[in-house]
Amino acid sequence: MEIGSGINSMDLDLHEGHVIEDLKNSAASALPEPSRWLDEEIERNIITTTVDKLLNWGRKTSLWTETSFTACCTFEFISTSSSRFDIARFGMEVLRSSPRHADLMITAGTLTWKMAPQIKRVYEQMAEPKWVIAMGACGISGGIFADSYAVVPGYNRILPVDVYIPGCPPRPEALLAGIELLRKKIEKRSIAKGN
Ligand code: SF4
């Protein structure tokens, strides 16, 4: 089917296939934990200050989550964001539809290779510093779909993951524990050390 400007749907499918194949080939192994690979880069660029505590307090009390949730773990996230579990106490009650307004990605669900380029793009558009929580077995390793040709065997193949929360799905209490771990990690960030 002709779409316009001489491009047809077959061309678009072929292009999409190439993008996915390139991403697959570059995602043969898991990315390292971000605090390690960022060290050198940040140390090179930022002068030591004494405002770590203030910055970290601000960051850990205003985690803004972007909303690309891909599968069933999402429902546990929805429960967690209800009044019963009260994530407003972490400054997380506002979900962001634009990744440019978000600094936290919670990978609530199975990720297919077809969807992977879009999720990677969303991550790249998020504001720095940013964090990723891999929620559930699918987010960690592909879960029960890990052997499928169509499923990414863990978000850490394409994104640097800070915290892993096991379960299928993890209950809201587990997600809260993971968020608390991330908050502790943020508390320890040092501009001087770059971690
Ligand atoms: S871990 Fe379980 S609940 Fe979560 S997305 Fe995978 S299959 Fe669904």
Side-chain angles (χ1 to χ4, degrees), residues 20 24 110-116 142 145-153:
I20 291 170
K24 260 184 165 177
T110 327
L111 180 63
T112 59
W113 282 111
K114 189 169 173 73
M115 190 70 184
F145 310 107
D147 293 331
S148 165
Y149 73 95
V151 171
V152 181

Side-chain angles (χ1 to χ4, degrees), residues 18 34 52 59 64 75 105 107 132 136 141 150 153 164:
H18 288 313
D52 283 344
R59 286 166 179 157
W64 289 1
F75 292 95
M105 176 183 280
T107 68
V132 178
S141 64
Y164 295 84

Side-chain angles (χ1 to χ4, degrees), residues 24-55:
K24 260 184 165 177
N25 292 335
S26 66
S29 57
L31 295 171
E33 204 187 323
S35 52
R36 274 179 265 143
W37 65 266
L38 277 177
D39 278 359
E40 206 186 317
E41 184 66 21
I42 295 177
E43 261 184 324
R44 218 179 10 241
N45 291 313
I46 300 178
I47 299 169
T48 307
T49 76
T50 55
V51 296
D52 283 344
K53 267 196 173 171
L54 183 62
L55 283 177

Side-chain angles (χ1 to χ4, degrees), residues 70-74 76 107-110 135-139 142-145 167-170:
T70 51
C72 22
C73 274
T74 306
E76 296 302 316
T107 68
T110 327
M135 178 184 178
C138 290
I144 54 174
F145 310 107
C168 179

Side-chain angles (χ1 to χ4, degrees), residues 63-78 80-81 87 90 92-96 102-111 119 122-123 126 130-136 138-140 155 159-165 170-172 174-180 182:
L63 285 165
W64 289 1
T65 311
E66 65 76 38
T67 53
S68 11
F69 301 128
T70 51
C72 22
C73 274
T74 306
F75 292 95
E76 296 302 316
F77 177 82
I78 293 168
T80 312
S81 61
I87 56 172
F90 306 131
M92 291 180 67
E93 73 275 27
V94 183
L95 302 182
R96 313 309 299 193
D103 57 5
L104 174 62
M105 176 183 280
I106 297 179
T107 68
T110 327
L111 180 63
I119 292 292
V122 167
Y123 175 78
M126 284 165 56
K130 52 193 169 189
W131 297 277
V132 178
I133 293 178
M135 178 184 178
C138 290
I140 294 172
Y155 278 70
L159 307 177
V161 172
D162 295 277
V163 173
Y164 295 84
I165 305 173
R171 288 184 51 81
L175 181 54
L176 289 178
I179 291 168
E180 197 48 43
L182 180 65

